[in-house]
Amino acid sequence: MSSNAAVPFWRAAGMTYITYSNICANLVRNCLKEPHRSEAIAREKVHFSVSKWAEGKPQKPTLRSDNPQD
């Protein structure tokens, strides 16, 4: 029995689990019919804030939006 038998296929392919799950999620979204597809793509957007630190104190945060489709 090969030692690779217990290794998940995404690891054997050289991927991280996050990369694998993102590929699977995109495939599922693309298989949906409208209007469910556009709703799923809209939920995919991620919003976050970034604060730079200066002299040990956080500066005013800036809001960011990450959309892999753009």
Side-chain angles (χ1 to χ4, degrees), residues 53-59:
W53 288 69
E55 299 176 4
K57 296 181 182 177
Q59 302 299 312

Side-chain angles (χ1 to χ4, degrees), residues 21-43:
S21 63
N22 283 337
I23 290 170
C24 292
N26 284 331
L27 288 171
V28 170
R29 281 187 213 99
N30 290 333
C31 291
L32 295 172
K33 293 182 180 179
E34 289 297 337
H36 304 293
R37 179 185 292 177
S38 58
E39 291 172 5
I41 290 173
R43 282 193 308 266

